[in-house]
Amino acid sequence: MNKTSAVQTIGILTSGGDAPGMNAALRAVARTAWARGIDVKGIYRGYSGLLNDEIFDMEKEFTCDIISRGGTALFTARCEEFKQLEYQEKAAEILRSHNIDGLVVIGGDGSFRGAQKLSAQGINTVALPGTIDLDIACTEYTIGFDTAVNTAMQAIDKIRDSSTSHERCSIIEVMGRNAGYIALWCGIASGAEDILIPERFDGNRPKLENELIESILEKKALGKKHHLIINAEGVGHSYGMAKRIEQATGVETRASILGHMQRGGSPCPYDRVLSTRLGAAAGKMILDGEFGYLVGMKNNHIAKIPLADVAGKLKMIQPDDEMVQEAKLMGISFGD
Ligand code: ADP
Ligand code: F6P
């Protein structure tokens, strides 16, 4: 097949926290390249693997049976040393030595900063938003968020059964780093009484706990059999909070931190489809010679956003967020 592309060999890596749908995305990038006769190299373990020259010729078999699998077949890693210029120069040299003239980076905000540094070294890069946290600026969608919310919601439903049987209060801590999107979505989907998100938390823990204590006693007086609090990891301290709430209310209170189970599991259809669309778009862009962009979603359409507009600018839930306002209308409290 004639190669019809500005680049001749592309590389793909996944970096930062894994997210369900990364496999679908990398598969779509690779297949788009292969359809145009372009060679694909896989880079294992993100920037760490790149610096260790863990680069291989990706064959079509590599992408077989991965669309339904969580995690990333390329493995992922965090690599502190890559923040230093000398390692970025070394990485660019390694990419050149493999004749990689276009690189697709799938990861979160930190990974985009790395991608930008590689661009500065003359490497043609395109990035895809791969994080369960949904905290990437300029895109409505990030790979893995929907699956993570589904996974967490199913776990919360189970905890709720036990909570109701024991007439307890349950504090369930979900991931999201400094953003509250997973907590907000899970809280609404699970019918929680309170949703704690870092964007609405002023750092005053005694005040927050007093609000919760009031809310628990009020709902108990109305005959509520359980009390569900969804707490974002950016607020944290779930175990201590549970102890103090139990002491103050007399209501048995348990905390559960869901942890890394939220990152695993087979991606839901939405994540498979959106990741595939983004991957195909990223593949096309890099083959057409359009570099230095994040490929994201805006108004339900594929959008290309200059990496310079994205890297280092995290998205947070705004004070006037519609979902928060609607939740408040029906009595869900945010502890603020
Ligand atoms: P995520 O991509 O999910 O946000 P991290 O913030 O851990 O995850 O970033 C992933 C990797 O990206 C880091 O381990 C590091 O190798 C690279 N990275 C992060 N910040 C920078 C930076 N300022 N310059 C260069 N590389 C960076
Ligand atoms: O960015 C994804 C994420 O799962 C965050 O929600 C969480 O804060 C972090 O990664 C956990 O990172 P680690 O895998 O290093 O524990």
Side-chain angles (χ1 to χ4, degrees):
M1 187 187 290
N2 284 335
K3 295 187 176 190
T4 55
S5 167
V7 303
Q8 299 303 307
T9 304
I10 66 161
I12 312 175
L13 64 80
T14 50
S15 165
D18 65 322
M22 278 184 165
N23 280 329
L26 74 89
R27 169 182 176 271
V29 173
R31 287 179 63 138
T32 305
W34 288 325
R36 283 178 46 180
I38 301 302
D39 295 329
V40 180
K41 301 215 179 200
I43 302 162
Y44 282 128
R45 300 177 183 82
Y47 297 125
S48 163
L50 170 54
L51 287 171
N52 290 328
D53 209 340
E54 295 182 65
I55 299 178
F56 64 98
D57 293 324
M58 196 182 280
E59 302 295 340
K60 300 215 164 70
E61 291 69 37
F62 186 84
T63 60
C64 290
D65 292 329
I66 64 169
I67 194 166
S68 57
R69 283 188 7 224
T72 160
L74 285 174
F75 304 106
T76 186
R78 294 196 165 98
C79 174
E80 263 313 297
E81 62 189 11
F82 192 70
K83 293 179 182 170
Q84 295 167 39
L85 179 64
E86 63 175 296
Y87 290 100
Q88 295 156 13
E89 288 169 348
K90 182 179 168 194
E93 267 320 300
I94 292 172
L95 287 167
R96 284 190 197 100
S97 74
H98 285 272
N99 299 319
I100 293 174
D101 46 6
L103 177 71
V104 177
V105 171
I106 309 173
D109 179 63
S111 306
F112 304 156
R113 292 186 209 208
Q116 254 197 320
K117 302 285 166 62
L118 282 174
S119 288
Q121 292 299 322
I123 301 296
N124 303 318
T125 49
V126 168
L128 287 174
T131 170
I132 64 166
D133 300 338
L134 195 69
D135 59 352
I136 305 296
C138 310
T139 177
E140 288 153 5
Y141 167 77
T142 64
I143 292 166
F145 172 74
D146 196 46
T147 303
V149 169
N150 271 283
T151 303
M153 186 199 68
Q154 285 169 28
I156 294 165
D157 285 350
K158 290 175 179 143
I159 292 172
R160 180 203 180 98
D161 289 345
S162 172
S163 193
T164 311
S165 306
H166 285 263
E167 300 178 66
R168 279 176 175 161
C169 168
S170 291
I171 303 178
I172 301 152
E173 188 171 314
V174 296
M175 277 186 166
R177 207 177 290 217
N178 299 316
Y181 292 101
I182 298 179
L184 178 59
W185 277 71
C186 283
I188 291 174
S190 312
E193 275 68 41
D194 304 276
I195 304 174
L196 311 180
I197 56 175
E199 293 90 336
R200 301 190 79 88
F201 176 49
D202 62 6
N204 186 340
R205 290 193 183 275
K207 181 175 137 243
L208 172 66
E209 288 175 15
N210 283 338
E211 296 281 347
L212 293 173
I213 289 161
E214 242 175 64
S215 159
I216 291 164
L217 293 174
E218 207 175 278
K219 302 267 164 55
K220 195 181 171 202
L222 292 172
K224 193 96 194 161
K225 294 286 178 242
H226 62 237
H227 193 104
L228 219 56
I229 301 171
I230 305 302
N231 186 24
E233 72 166 323
V235 176
H237 294 258
S238 296
Y239 290 124
M241 223 189 271
K243 245 191 216 162
R244 289 185 290 274
I245 285 175
E246 181 169 303
Q247 265 166 11
T249 59
V251 175
E252 269 195 319
T253 303
R254 296 287 187 272
S256 308
I257 298 180
L258 298 186
H260 291 82
M261 56 115 59
Q262 294 161 94
R263 290 226 300 252
S266 180
C268 65
Y270 190 75
D271 270 323
R272 293 186 198 190
V273 171
L274 269 286
S275 303
T276 299
R277 288 182 62 193
L278 291 182
K284 180 177 184 320
M285 276 173 62
I286 207 148
L287 299 179
D288 289 347
E290 289 191 87
F291 311 123
Y293 291 103
L294 170 79
V295 186
M297 297 296 293
K298 268 188 186 169
N299 302 320
N300 250 344
H301 292 286
I302 297 283
K304 52 179 190 181
I305 306 121
L307 265 177
D309 293 353
V310 180
K313 290 180 202 139
L314 288 176
K315 187 170 73 175
M316 308 277 259
I317 298 172
Q318 295 303 304
D320 60 348
D321 183 271
E322 274 182 33
M323 277 176 72
V324 172
Q325 301 313 327
E326 288 149 9
K328 281 186 153 190
L329 286 177
M330 45 178 290
I332 297 176
S333 124
F334 287 80
D336 54 358

